[in-house]
Amino acid sequence: MNSVLRIVLQRLGLGVVTLVVVSFVIFVAVNAMPGDFAQAILGQGYTEEAGEAIRREVGLDKPYFVRYFSWLGAALTGDFGTSFAKANFAAYAGNTAGSGLDTVAASIAPRLENTLFLAGVAAMIAVPISLVLGLLAALYRNTIFDRFTNIFTLSSISSPEFFLAYILILLLAVLNPLLPSLSNVFEGMPFSERFIKTLLPALTLTLVVTAHMMRMTRAAIINLLASPYIEMARLKGISPMRIIVVHALPNALAPIINVIALNLAYLITGVVVVEVVFVYPGIGQLFVDSVKIRDIPVVQASCLIFAAAYILLNLLADVLSILSNPRLRHPK
Amino acid sequence: MTYILYLILLAGVCVGGGWVFRQSGQMATQNAPYFRDMPLGVASGFVIGLLALIGGIYLYFWNGNQFFRWAIQGFFIFSVLAYYFRLLGQQLGTSASRKLFRQMPMTAAFGMATILVYAFLAIFAGQVSIATIFLIAVVGLPLVIYAQAYFTTEAARSITWIMFGVIAIFIIMYFVGPIAPYGQDQIFPRANIVPGGDPALGGDPAFPLGTDQIGRDILSRLIYGAQNTVGIAFVTTCLAFLIGATFGFLAATLQGWLDQIISRVVDVLMAIPALIFALLLMTIASAWAGSNGALLTVYMIVIIAVIDSTRVYRLARAVGLNIVVMDYIEAAKLRGEGLGYLIFREILPNATAPLLAEFGLRFCFVFLTIASLSFLGVGIQPPLADWGTMVRDLAQFINYAAFAPQAATAPLLAAGAIALLTVAVNFVVDWMLHKSSGLKE
Amino acid sequence: MSEKEVLVTIRDLYLEGRTDETWMPIINGVDLTLHKGEVLGLIGESGAGKSTLGLAAMGFTRDGVRIKKGSVEFDGIDLVNASAAVKRGLLGKRIAYVAQSAAASFNPAHKLIDQHSEAPIQHGVMAKSESEADGIELYRRLRLPNPEQIGFRYPHQVSGGQLQRAMTAMAMSCRPDLIIFDEPTTALDVTTQIEVLASIRDIVEQFNTAAIYITHDLAVVAQMADNIKVLLKGDEVEEADTRTMLADPREDYTKSLWAVRSFQRPKKPAVQKGAVPVVRVNHVTAAYGTTPVLFDVDFEIHEGRTVAVVGESGSGKSTAARCITGLLPPKEGQIEFEGVAMPADYRRRNKDQLRQAQMIYQMADTALNPRKTIGEIIGRPVQFYTGLTGNERRRRVDELLAEIELEPSIYHDRLPSELSGGQKQRVGIARALAAEPKFIICDEVTSALDQLVAEGILKLLARLQDTLGLSYMFITHDLATVKSIADEVVVMKDGKVVEQGPKDEMFKPPHHAYTDLLLSSVPEMDPDWLTNLLAERGVDNIGDAAVDKM
């Protein structure tokens, strides 16, 4: 057990290091922008004095590394700074005192919640469907069913998310008005209504992720079924059902966990486009909007959140597949 | 509640039908092993498939909508195209290429045919210049001579034929003129003409797919989109490969600290989701580029190429490492061969198959990333026509699909054009991977 | 014979396998009869279809293999037309299987005893507790160490030889009428092989189980089988009882198989005192990272001599070769060529120093670049070392091809994939010769080849040595090869040289205990060899036990 613990701790440590380095990369990238916050915030009304004042206020006059660590330290406590869009607005309105809503954290938090809800709904639908279909495709490989699903999954992997999204809108919202095509969820909405509004973007994500997950599950299971111990089980006269459940499943756990985690990580990227199509008020849409108006603090913060989620999911996959490996769980 | 009841009923029908199907199969074939050992689930599967087929036929002929019919018709047109393409391949070319075509599944044939159509559209969207034809002849001739000297006679002959064919097509297309009826940034006075070309419904026969919100011909822009979107994606992928494969093979061959450093850098870059990273860098790039659209497009190519080269690096390194452990590499090292010989003469020839497959996959990925960026408004910049931007600009017409189906076609065609190409490339890659993995399955 | 009941009958069986969308024949009309309690040895070279036939006797075909025609009957049951359920009822219960790789054939997720008792429980033969008790009893009979506890371990916690015996126990769990042994000892070292062979033979005798024993090793099958059937490319060559078959084979093919082991080189005069060796490994100590692998290894190779370096896997014999070639610079000691110390790292050796030592590899498949023609493979070192180009290079390549007995006009433009295993190995030899070296390292060059082909390679190497005055370092674990080609023998174990000397002395007692164990563990063609050996050593003194005692 000791060695497993050591490996897991190693991976966790590595994950933390990666996260720190990634945050540094993001910080460097953002600071490579021409001009600075002061110029950006003041826009046309930029004067040397006003710029200097703002720089001092935000801490831009300090050295690079000091700024990085103070940003990282603040980010760890959930303080991502002040949104440029809000600050800009505030500056024009002549209102310099920031209220609670002006911070990046405050504008991101509810949207992050919405995004997690969307990803959660998509995962709830996608994971069971794709595991079952992947298993079936592996068991009945090279049959009509397998070829059909292969074509279907390849097509849906290949299609851009917005194509799938518009096809679904066309079918389920315009031609057969079953679901709303705009997902304007808001706080305090009853759960059922919120669920219905989320369903169409969730279905789009499901289509993309299911295809990926199914293909990976199929490959993992086929790989597994080709191993000599499965042949041995068949030669012992064990029933097909028992072979799957007793012999294949315990060994399939690691690859399947991996597949699920990788695809949840993939969902993170997928939400961006889908949220824009359905005008879903999630972090992806906020991110894209901020990119367009170059709202740096928000871009920086959302980027860090996306990367952190991505790294954590990969880490989780890693750790879980180590834990489910019998060779490591029962050392010599 | 009633829906659930219906579902249970349907499942019952399927299982019951499956049982009947198996039973009758057993009787008809005197209990042949195929029917005797068929699980009930499989038999039910057949019934579900049959029901789906009947449903499809019903929708097509009686109660479906126009889009469903168009999809089915498109499917059949492309199937026929693929079939004839494969038939053609089986007749022409060397014995090896004919064998290739004989073993090719329909999906791969469809993919190849589609890729060729796209390439044709992309190359000949505008007027071909004399200089291009001249350039091809200058490059092609030495190739033909080289092939004559070093390849087998059959291969050399087919290369010569292909070269002549290509030049002939270019010359013909020079006289035929551009495929696109108008220029991609040509603006006409009438904006928002409805597709379909029927004046009664607000169309115009001169603009079969209508015009967009500022009066540009959508058909021309679709065709030019092939040139821009596909061309830019292709260039980006090539760049990504150049960077990724070079570093990957270097790392695999030299190993040691160089490998460690590059691999750790790549690990970090890959820890940020590709699209997110691209969006972040595009924000910065757009600040640098200002209002210069062309410069921003160049930045985009570099950014996506660098992000994507990390994936190429991983693969090239893995493939390289698998080859480097081979005894023939050890033999070459012990002979005293230099790094260049090792990489270009010993490793690279053995890495072409996986790299080619990866090129297809990477191309799809780059293509989709660029399309997504354009769709989000930070990708390929106007005045270049591009599919992602077209989808974004025309998307609201989908809402008219219920009463004016032809109005909704423009955005769907642009999005579909993206999907069709990636599907085609994926089919070909899938087949290649299946072939190279051999009989392991 | 005739009074015994017939258990398995195979009549006119044709099997096909799918390659590249077409069906190729694997077995062409083989007949087979097996009586109760009888052991049939199936032997043949790779590609003879032994394993496929063995599985077909169980009514089982792998994916991509099908029965074209013919019948397989087990105890009156038609296995070709039996339903899946009927076959499942037989497999594991009345017919069992022992696979080549026990490590891969045990499910890594379950304990040995659980896998052992799975078949009895599923077939309703025994209850769990009963079957576990029986498993422990079988482990004891198979002389597994610590039989009470070993079953409660996971497969990866148990050594290869023990796993192989545990798998035999698992096959025995329902007391089947028939067991198929598919090369059960091929992956094992010789000293481990003995105990597995002994325990398999005992248990099959004790329970009077019929068995089909598949192997490519004649000496092994001679110990195990009552009858031997020889297969060649899917056809039956002949079948007879073991003693008749060994003493008096009828067919030429069988005779040639038997003759392989008799190839022997004439003895060479002793090396002159004070002669400078071509290669001297001078007290070399080496390590991979911080793991030490070689300890003070010291031996010499003289001109025109073959030094065989023998030992089991992990003994450090290949590492010694890596030190000589400079791939693994030694920690201490040095490599001398003709009395001169070489730079330790190959990257610091000049072209002429690199040319001196050439290497021939075990796996011809990975030793030749699959994308290059034979002409390029041999031509490159010719050009690289001698500077010949164009027609001169071509002439030299043709000369080398003729030297290795391949027709230049046919093979010059072929790719390695178009050659057989033996031909590929010959090309590997030609590539080494192209450098015009004095010394060649042969790393297990014959162990991946069929015996007849291997013999051809050995003869070629011997001829080249006589004509070109080459020196060989011959790394092998196969003592039969050592007997036929070596002048001197170096025995290695755990990174140390245990004993060395001229071949004649080495194959005569008295020896160092390990040398003795190693040499005596090599199966011989005598059917009584195993019995005699066991009597000599005592039951408790074979295999691991014997090694541990030293």
Side-chain angles (χ1 to χ4, degrees), chain C residues 468-492:
Chain C
L468 301 172
L470 295 168
S471 309
Y472 295 137
M473 172 175 165
F474 210 96
I475 298 169
T476 183
H477 67 276
D478 179 18
L479 289 145
T481 314
V482 175
K483 269 185 190 167
S484 61
I485 196 164
D487 298 311
E488 274 139 77
V489 182
V490 174
V491 181
M492 289 189 70

Tab-separated table of all heavy atoms in Angstrom, chain C residues 468-492:
chain	number	residue	atom	x	y	z
C	468	LEU	N	37.485	-16.825	-43.277
C	468	LEU	CA	37.871	-15.432	-43.036
C	468	LEU	C	38.642	-15.243	-41.735
C	468	LEU	O	39.096	-14.141	-41.441
C	468	LEU	CB	36.630	-14.534	-43.010
C	468	LEU	CG	35.775	-14.545	-44.285
C	468	LEU	CD1	34.483	-13.780	-44.063
C	468	LEU	CD2	36.542	-13.940	-45.451
C	469	GLY	N	38.788	-16.286	-40.957
C	469	GLY	CA	39.532	-16.184	-39.704
C	469	GLY	C	38.847	-15.302	-38.668
C	469	GLY	O	39.504	-14.594	-37.911
C	470	LEU	N	37.508	-15.309	-38.646
C	470	LEU	CA	36.769	-14.447	-37.718
C	470	LEU	C	36.797	-15.011	-36.295
C	470	LEU	O	36.955	-16.215	-36.101
C	470	LEU	CB	35.309	-14.344	-38.154
C	470	LEU	CG	35.041	-13.665	-39.491
C	470	LEU	CD1	33.607	-13.911	-39.900
C	470	LEU	CD2	35.311	-12.182	-39.371
C	471	SER	N	36.632	-14.102	-35.350
C	471	SER	CA	36.427	-14.530	-33.963
C	471	SER	C	34.989	-14.229	-33.587
C	471	SER	O	34.466	-13.184	-33.957
C	471	SER	CB	37.349	-13.753	-33.021
C	471	SER	OG	38.657	-13.830	-33.497
C	472	TYR	N	34.363	-15.129	-32.848
C	472	TYR	CA	32.977	-14.910	-32.445
C	472	TYR	C	32.847	-14.871	-30.932
C	472	TYR	O	33.480	-15.647	-30.223
C	472	TYR	CB	32.070	-16.051	-32.934
C	472	TYR	CG	31.934	-16.175	-34.431
C	472	TYR	CD1	31.979	-17.430	-35.036
C	472	TYR	CD2	31.708	-15.062	-35.231
C	472	TYR	CE1	31.829	-17.576	-36.400
C	472	TYR	CE2	31.555	-15.196	-36.601
C	472	TYR	CZ	31.619	-16.451	-37.182
C	472	TYR	OH	31.469	-16.584	-38.525
C	473	MET	N	31.988	-13.981	-30.491
C	473	MET	CA	31.487	-14.098	-29.130
C	473	MET	C	30.046	-14.548	-29.298
C	473	MET	O	29.239	-13.846	-29.898
C	473	MET	CB	31.552	-12.760	-28.410
C	473	MET	CG	30.864	-12.759	-27.064
C	473	MET	SD	31.120	-11.183	-26.242
C	473	MET	CE	29.874	-11.266	-24.966
C	474	PHE	N	29.742	-15.732	-28.815
C	474	PHE	CA	28.458	-16.345	-29.115
C	474	PHE	C	27.609	-16.376	-27.847
C	474	PHE	O	27.820	-17.193	-26.961
C	474	PHE	CB	28.709	-17.757	-29.638
C	474	PHE	CG	27.670	-18.220	-30.602
C	474	PHE	CD1	27.886	-18.090	-31.963
C	474	PHE	CD2	26.485	-18.769	-30.159
C	474	PHE	CE1	26.934	-18.497	-32.861
C	474	PHE	CE2	25.523	-19.168	-31.052
C	474	PHE	CZ	25.750	-19.041	-32.405
C	475	ILE	N	26.652	-15.438	-27.778
C	475	ILE	CA	25.811	-15.362	-26.590
C	475	ILE	C	24.619	-16.287	-26.771
C	475	ILE	O	23.908	-16.189	-27.778
C	475	ILE	CB	25.311	-13.925	-26.386
C	475	ILE	CG1	26.496	-12.994	-26.170
C	475	ILE	CG2	24.334	-13.854	-25.224
C	475	ILE	CD1	26.117	-11.545	-26.224
C	476	THR	N	24.383	-17.169	-25.841
C	476	THR	CA	23.240	-18.076	-26.011
C	476	THR	C	22.812	-18.648	-24.669
C	476	THR	O	23.564	-18.624	-23.695
C	476	THR	CB	23.588	-19.216	-26.981
C	476	THR	OG1	22.447	-20.018	-27.183
C	476	THR	CG2	24.715	-20.076	-26.428
C	477	HIS	N	21.577	-19.124	-24.624
C	477	HIS	CA	21.152	-19.855	-23.440
C	477	HIS	C	20.964	-21.323	-23.807
C	477	HIS	O	20.637	-22.147	-22.982
C	477	HIS	CB	19.840	-19.279	-22.900
C	477	HIS	CG	18.686	-19.492	-23.809
C	477	HIS	ND1	18.393	-18.658	-24.859
C	477	HIS	CD2	17.770	-20.473	-23.858
C	477	HIS	CE1	17.342	-19.114	-25.498
C	477	HIS	NE2	16.941	-20.211	-24.927
C	478	ASP	N	21.185	-21.636	-25.090
C	478	ASP	CA	20.904	-22.976	-25.582
C	478	ASP	C	22.203	-23.781	-25.616
C	478	ASP	O	23.104	-23.520	-26.405
C	478	ASP	CB	20.297	-22.870	-26.987
C	478	ASP	CG	20.018	-24.241	-27.557
C	478	ASP	OD1	19.975	-25.208	-26.766
C	478	ASP	OD2	19.866	-24.345	-28.778
C	479	LEU	N	22.287	-24.777	-24.741
C	479	LEU	CA	23.544	-25.491	-24.617
C	479	LEU	C	23.816	-26.426	-25.782
C	479	LEU	O	24.959	-26.756	-26.067
C	479	LEU	CB	23.570	-26.241	-23.287
C	479	LEU	CG	23.719	-25.212	-22.158
C	479	LEU	CD1	22.972	-25.614	-20.929
C	479	LEU	CD2	25.180	-24.976	-21.852
C	480	ALA	N	22.763	-26.811	-26.497
C	480	ALA	CA	22.976	-27.641	-27.673
C	480	ALA	C	23.779	-26.852	-28.709
C	480	ALA	O	24.683	-27.389	-29.357
C	480	ALA	CB	21.632	-28.065	-28.253
C	481	THR	N	23.449	-25.577	-28.848
C	481	THR	CA	24.194	-24.715	-29.762
C	481	THR	C	25.640	-24.593	-29.314
C	481	THR	O	26.563	-24.636	-30.123
C	481	THR	CB	23.553	-23.319	-29.789
C	481	THR	OG1	22.159	-23.469	-29.913
C	481	THR	CG2	24.085	-22.499	-30.927
C	482	VAL	N	25.807	-24.451	-28.012
C	482	VAL	CA	27.167	-24.339	-27.475
C	482	VAL	C	27.978	-25.568	-27.846
C	482	VAL	O	29.093	-25.475	-28.340
C	482	VAL	CB	27.117	-24.192	-25.936
C	482	VAL	CG1	28.521	-24.190	-25.366
C	482	VAL	CG2	26.382	-22.931	-25.566
C	483	LYS	N	27.363	-26.728	-27.655
C	483	LYS	CA	28.059	-27.975	-27.943
C	483	LYS	C	28.500	-28.020	-29.404
C	483	LYS	O	29.561	-28.515	-29.724
C	483	LYS	CB	27.136	-29.169	-27.670
C	483	LYS	CG	27.259	-29.695	-26.269
C	483	LYS	CD	26.410	-30.943	-26.111
C	483	LYS	CE	26.347	-31.327	-24.639
C	483	LYS	NZ	25.300	-32.318	-24.399
C	484	SER	N	27.654	-27.491	-30.295
C	484	SER	CA	27.981	-27.677	-31.697
C	484	SER	C	28.987	-26.655	-32.211
C	484	SER	O	29.752	-26.948	-33.096
C	484	SER	CB	26.714	-27.659	-32.547
C	484	SER	OG	26.068	-26.434	-32.411
C	485	ILE	N	29.042	-25.451	-31.667
C	485	ILE	CA	29.856	-24.426	-32.327
C	485	ILE	C	31.007	-23.863	-31.483
C	485	ILE	O	31.979	-23.368	-32.026
C	485	ILE	CB	28.952	-23.287	-32.849
C	485	ILE	CG1	29.735	-22.443	-33.869
C	485	ILE	CG2	28.415	-22.439	-31.724
C	485	ILE	CD1	28.870	-21.561	-34.707
C	486	ALA	N	30.958	-24.015	-30.155
C	486	ALA	CA	31.910	-23.272	-29.327
C	486	ALA	C	33.276	-23.937	-29.267
C	486	ALA	O	33.412	-25.153	-29.417
C	486	ALA	CB	31.364	-23.120	-27.912
C	487	ASP	N	34.328	-23.092	-29.082
C	487	ASP	CA	35.646	-23.603	-28.750
C	487	ASP	C	35.883	-23.462	-27.243
C	487	ASP	O	36.469	-24.303	-26.614
C	487	ASP	CB	36.723	-22.824	-29.503
C	487	ASP	CG	36.561	-22.966	-30.991
C	487	ASP	OD1	36.423	-24.103	-31.467
C	487	ASP	OD2	36.532	-21.940	-31.691
C	488	GLU	N	35.431	-22.327	-26.751
C	488	GLU	CA	35.547	-22.089	-25.320
C	488	GLU	C	34.200	-21.664	-24.756
C	488	GLU	O	33.370	-21.133	-25.494
C	488	GLU	CB	36.574	-20.991	-25.035
C	488	GLU	CG	37.990	-21.503	-24.933
C	488	GLU	CD	38.971	-20.574	-25.607
C	488	GLU	OE1	39.275	-19.542	-25.004
C	488	GLU	OE2	39.388	-20.874	-26.744
C	489	VAL	N	34.007	-21.897	-23.486
C	489	VAL	CA	32.721	-21.589	-22.871
C	489	VAL	C	32.943	-20.708	-21.645
C	489	VAL	O	33.865	-20.948	-20.865
C	489	VAL	CB	31.981	-22.876	-22.443
C	489	VAL	CG1	30.629	-22.545	-21.839
C	489	VAL	CG2	31.813	-23.806	-23.639
C	490	VAL	N	32.092	-19.663	-21.542
C	490	VAL	CA	32.091	-18.828	-20.344
C	490	VAL	C	30.707	-18.948	-19.731
C	490	VAL	O	29.709	-18.677	-20.394
C	490	VAL	CB	32.377	-17.353	-20.699
C	490	VAL	CG1	32.237	-16.474	-19.469
C	490	VAL	CG2	33.749	-17.206	-21.321
C	491	VAL	N	30.606	-19.395	-18.498
C	491	VAL	CA	29.304	-19.539	-17.841
C	491	VAL	C	29.097	-18.336	-16.928
C	491	VAL	O	29.957	-18.022	-16.116
C	491	VAL	CB	29.230	-20.835	-17.020
C	491	VAL	CG1	27.864	-20.966	-16.374
C	491	VAL	CG2	29.517	-22.032	-17.896
C	492	MET	N	27.948	-17.668	-17.123
C	492	MET	CA	27.676	-16.493	-16.293
C	492	MET	C	26.424	-16.691	-15.456
C	492	MET	O	25.485	-17.370	-15.866
C	492	MET	CB	27.500	-15.248	-17.178
C	492	MET	CG	28.791	-14.786	-17.815
C	492	MET	SD	28.617	-13.200	-18.632
C	492	MET	CE	28.431	-12.133	-17.236
